[in-house]
Every structure is written in C-alpha cells, then in structure tokens.
Amino acid sequence: MEKMKNIIKGKCVDISSEGKGVIKTVYGVIFVDALLLGEEAEIEVTYARKGVAYGKIVKLLSKSPDRIQPLCPVSTACGGCTFQNATYEYELRYKKHKVEEDLKRIGHFENIKVNNVIKMDEPSHYRNKIQVPFGKENKRVVYGFYKANTHKIIPIKECNIEDKDAAPILIDIALLMEKYRIDPYNEDYRSGIIRHVLLRTSRSTKEVMVVLVSNVETFPGRNNFIKELTSLHKEISTIIFNVNKRDTNVILGESEKVLYGKGFITDEILGLRFNISSKSFFQVNPIQVEKLYGEALRLANIGKDDVVLDAYAGVCTIGLLAAPHAKNVISVEVVKSAVINGRNNAKLNNINNIEIIEDDCTEYINNKLPKVDVVIMDPPRKGSTPEFLNAVKRIKPKRIVYISCEPSTLSRDLEMLKDTYDIETIQPVDMFPRSFHVETIVGLILKN
C-alpha cells in the first residue's frame, strides 16, 4: 500500500465513539476533529500508524446543515468539548446512535429499542466542578485547559460549560497571585506554588469551595491572599489547601488543610441534602442529575416491602434517594472515604433504613447471599465484572437498574445478563452536553 499523503480529500461517513469524523480512504481510516457527518473536506494528516490516522480540517468543501459557529473562542484549540460546532439536535442524535451501535456490535442485541436521549433544556454552564492548571505566559499568571494530548495551557477567561460563578473567582485568583507574588507551578523545573485550582459550586445553597493545589506546604502571604479573596467573593464558603508534590497527572494530593470555612459545601438532589468535600464524588451536572436519578428510581419501581442493594454505591447518593421508597437499602462501597461520606449524609437527612457497608460488592454478595428485590448498580467507566454479574444472577433480584457512563462496557455487561434478565427500558441521559459522553440507564426484569 502506498504511503499516506499529508493532505487528503474525503467525506465523513461515520462518527467515532469519541465524536470524531470518520473518513475511509485507500490508506485506511482517518479520524478528524470537528468534522460532521456528511461533510467533505481537505484534511491534513497529523499522525498516522498502520491502517489508522488522525487529522485536522484544512478546508471545508461542503458544510452540514447542523454546523454552527462555536460559542467558545478556543473550542478547537482546547479540545475539551467535542460538539461546540454542531447543533444540539445533532449531538443528541449522535449519542442515541452511539448507544444503539454499541448494543448491536458489542452486546449482540438486534432490533432493541433505545429511547430518545433525555436532553438538557439549556446545554451550557452546567458543570459544578471546575479544575484548572495555572502557569505563566509573557510574565503574567494564566490559567485554562491543557491542549489535547499536551501540557500546554490554553488560557481562557470563561468556559461555556462551567458554572458562571467560577469565572470571576478564577480571574481574581490570578490577579491576587500576581499581587502577592505567588508563582504558578512550572512542570519543567518542578518549582512554583500553585499547580491547580479546583472550584466546586452548589446549585441549591450557592456556596463555593476553592481548593488550592500546591507544590509546597505553605507560602508567604497566604493569609492575606485568603482574606482578600474571601472579601472579594462572599459566595466562597470554604477554602482548602491541598498539597501535591508528586510528578503525576493526578490533581489532588493526599494531604490537605482547611484554611477557611467548614471544609465542605452542601447541595441538594430531589429534596435530599449532601455534604460535598474536596474529594467527594458528586455528579457534575446538578440539573440533569435529578432527571438521571428520577428515571432510575422510576425504573426500579421500588415497593414499600422491597429490599434494595445499592452496588458501587460511592457516597450512597442513589441509595439514600431510594431509601424513602423501600423497606431497607444496603449500600456497598469499597472506598473508605466514600463510605464515611455516605454515612454522614444518611445522618444529615435522618435516613435510618439504610445500611452502608465498606466491602467489595462481589465479595459481599458471595459471602452474605442477601435476599434483595432490586439491585441498582452504577459502576465506573470500565463497567462491572463477570464475577459481580454472576453473583447477582445467583441471588436473582426481581429487577436490576444499571446506570452506565460508557455504552461499550454497558453493552458487554448486558450480554452477560441476558440469559437471566430481559431488558425493559434503555434510556440515555445527556449528563455532559457538548462532549461525546452519554449516560445510560437500563431497566431489567427477571425472566419468567
């Protein structure tokens, strides 16, 4: 086969699992950022290996009717959003198709009905968790996002998918760092003070948490910096100083100290309150999460005499929401800090019919063989395991609700369950507008 040319003309015939346009050529497949289905373009090949390549648009030869002008001026350079250049309707069609194709290709489900994606009414400024690296450019403190596959910071003042309350706080943090001569971290020299800033916002209480991630244990002027920042932004209810000295892509370190406030913020989901720490898992879209969990509870169809197993429980959000409908809930989670958060949130909401257990889900089922009526499972992106799925089939709950953030691993796991369970409903939910990610809830019922 002849060598691939640097510039290639082609037509987008498909969209990849990561939202890239797919061009098929005699040289192999080319994945192209920001190319929409049906568009023709001249493509510059930026990386190639045998049979597959990646490219960028040099010139559009034909435009999709779904192409729009991105609201974000750095959407192409940043790479954090996949669909800033497409209509929301195009994005929703893609996400439904992605679920359908994975179920067919990986799960071997034919002619299975996937509901239309539950959309967000206003698909912007939804993220309640913001984490940005800080650096220097032309002797000024800058912050933003890493360019895709690099550690080069793309400076940005306001992100189209993040809570609007974050932007003015980040601007003032950068200005105060310059005022108090607090240097941002330099990865090349492993010097400087502020590596990242993490913000968490509460939709219900309007509280804001600021987490300063540092390379050092303390720094001169820290108290004055905190005093002035909290004076400028009364909405900041707590500030945490997190120390991360490791040469790693992991943002938060193990050691942290509360510098201001109580060390957590409080938010609500479907009427329940949740205390959120710097390291708590909490869904980043507070508007869509109520639709997600509301639909999950509807599919669970919990009766007042039902025992519910909340597997991969995290901070027990879904377990606590299920508890008022059930006789009893058993939430099982292997991460100790999440278990502590879950127990604290149960006390916060005066919920007494939930047992929160620190254990591996599979080990718990195999050792206890609990009699449960409903299993609600929300595993990580890598999905569940054959061991867990077989354990669930052993105890035969009447219903399973599977919440997934990755259609490919969901499809793989559903194939393992289909000898024992029938699929009643497949409901995608758009938790992450403008990205290629899609959340999916599946309701299953025991055969016979």
Side-chain angles (χ1 to χ4, degrees):
M1 186 178 289
E2 57 183 304
K3 186 179 179 181
M4 185 176 285
K5 300 174 183 177
N6 286 333
I7 303 291
I8 290 177
K9 289 183 181 180
K11 182 176 182 178
C12 179
V13 296
D14 200 359
I15 305 294
S16 76
S17 61
E18 295 183 345
K20 299 178 188 292
V22 175
I23 292 178
K24 295 182 179 179
T25 74
V26 294
Y27 310 105
V29 173
I30 307 175
F31 297 105
V32 185
D33 287 330
L35 189 65
L36 306 185
L37 194 62
E39 291 184 330
E40 293 182 90
E42 290 183 356
I43 304 300
E44 179 186 348
V45 177
T46 56
Y47 174 81
R49 62 178 185 264
K50 188 175 181 181
V52 65
Y54 295 85
K56 63 180 182 180
I57 298 170
V58 175
K59 182 181 179 181
L60 271 176
L61 303 176
S62 68
K63 290 185 179 181
S64 165
D66 285 298
R67 179 171 287 275
I68 61 173
Q69 183 65 31
L71 294 173
C72 176
V74 297
S75 61
T76 304
C78 168
C81 293
T82 311
F83 293 112
Q84 283 279 350
N85 65 327
T87 64
Y88 192 37
E89 290 71 23
Y90 176 94
E91 179 183 339
L92 294 172
R93 292 196 303 270
Y94 160 77
K95 289 177 176 179
K96 179 180 179 180
H97 179 70
K98 178 177 180 175
V99 175
E100 290 172 333
E101 285 300 297
D102 281 351
L103 286 167
K104 185 186 298 182
R105 180 175 54 88
I106 299 169
H108 306 104
F109 293 95
E110 296 293 336
N111 303 316
I112 193 163
K113 182 180 184 295
V114 175
N115 292 343
N116 290 333
V117 181
I118 295 177
K119 67 179 183 178
M120 190 171 184
D121 295 333
E122 294 292 334
S124 61
H125 295 294
Y126 61 86
R127 283 191 66 95
N128 60 16
K129 181 181 178 183
I130 300 101
Q131 46 198 34
V132 295
F134 274 66
K136 261 194 174 177
E137 189 175 277
N138 299 323
K139 298 183 179 180
R140 299 301 303 269
V141 173
V142 297
Y143 60 88
F145 301 99
Y146 289 128
K147 185 177 181 180
N149 304 315
T150 76
H151 274 196
K152 175 179 170 55
I153 294 176
I154 303 297
I156 185 170
K157 293 297 183 185
E158 183 177 352
C159 173
N160 186 250
I161 64 171
E162 292 179 347
D163 191 320
K164 287 183 177 180
D165 290 342
I169 295 174
L170 289 170
I171 289 170
D172 283 335
I173 287 175
L175 292 173
L176 290 174
M177 284 174 64
E178 291 182 349
K179 177 178 178 178
Y180 290 103
R181 298 182 181 179
I182 302 167
D183 283 335
Y185 183 67
N186 185 306
E187 285 193 340
D188 294 332
Y189 297 100
R190 299 198 67 186
S191 64
I193 295 170
I194 300 298
R195 299 179 67 150
H196 287 80
V197 172
L198 184 151
L199 301 184
R200 303 191 83 147
T201 61
S202 167
R203 181 179 174 224
S204 63
T205 65
K206 305 304 179 185
E207 295 173 310
V208 177
M209 172 191 293
V210 176
V211 183
L212 304 172
V213 184
S214 178
N215 187 50
V216 295
E217 300 287 344
T218 188
F219 57 87
R222 190 175 75 177
N223 291 341
N224 289 333
F225 173 89
I226 299 300
K227 185 177 179 180
E228 189 162 349
L229 180 61
T230 53
S231 176
L232 287 168
H233 294 281
K234 303 297 185 185
E235 67 273 24
I236 295 176
S237 60
T238 192
I239 297 177
I240 296 167
F241 189 69
N242 181 280
V243 180
N244 186 358
K245 298 181 180 182
R246 296 172 295 173
D247 184 15
T248 173
N249 289 330
V250 176
I251 291 174
L252 293 178
E254 294 297 323
S255 172
E256 61 181 33
K257 179 181 180 181
V258 177
L259 301 181
Y260 176 82
K262 55 194 177 182
F264 60 87
I265 60 174
T266 303
D267 211 341
E268 289 188 6
I269 300 176
L270 296 173
L272 294 188
R273 293 174 295 157
F274 295 88
N275 288 340
I276 306 160
S277 67
S278 65
K279 298 178 182 178
S280 294
F281 172 79
F282 199 73
Q283 290 280 2
V284 300
N285 190 328
I287 298 169
Q288 290 295 93
V289 73
E290 295 205 332
K291 297 179 184 178
L292 177 79
Y293 287 149
E295 181 66 11
L297 291 173
R298 186 186 73 79
L299 293 178
N301 191 24
I302 301 166
K304 61 181 176 59
D305 294 321
D306 284 343
V307 176
V308 177
L309 174 63
D310 171 26
Y312 305 95
V315 296
C316 308
T317 311
I318 190 68
L320 291 167
L321 291 168
H325 307 279
K327 178 183 179 181
N328 188 44
V329 175
I330 306 164
S331 285
V332 183
E333 169 58 47
V334 73
V335 178
K336 186 180 185 66
S337 60
V339 169
I340 292 170
N341 278 335
R343 289 171 179 166
N344 289 338
N345 285 323
K347 290 177 183 176
L348 180 66
N349 291 282
N350 297 314
I351 293 175
N352 301 311
N353 64 330
I354 185 168
E355 185 181 7
I356 300 173
I357 296 169
E358 182 186 341
D359 199 354
D360 173 80
C361 299
T362 307
E363 293 293 323
Y364 175 78
I365 293 176
N366 285 335
N367 291 333
K368 300 293 185 181
L369 288 176
K371 174 67 177 73
V372 298
D373 303 285
V374 181
V375 169
I376 303 176
M377 52 186 291
D378 188 358
R381 193 170 301 280
K382 65 182 179 180
S384 188
T385 64
E387 292 79 11
F388 176 78
L389 298 173
N390 283 327
V392 169
K393 288 195 287 186
R394 284 180 65 200
I395 60 173
K396 289 186 170 57
K398 295 180 294 185
R399 291 178 300 283
I400 300 173
V401 175
Y402 190 139
I403 304 171
S404 167
C405 58
E406 176 48 59
S408 61
T409 54
L410 168 69
S411 301
R412 178 202 67 201
D413 293 346
L414 290 177
E415 186 178 31
M416 272 205 67
L417 291 170
K418 68 183 179 182
D419 61 344
T420 310
Y421 287 86
D422 289 322
I423 293 175
E424 282 194 317
T425 304
I426 301 172
Q427 180 60 68
V429 182
D430 191 19
M431 294 294 294
F432 313 103
R434 297 320 188 199
S435 80
F436 61 83
H437 298 292
V438 58
E439 202 93 359
T440 311
I441 312 167
V442 179
L444 303 107
I445 189 164
L446 189 65
K447 288 179 183 288
N448 302 321

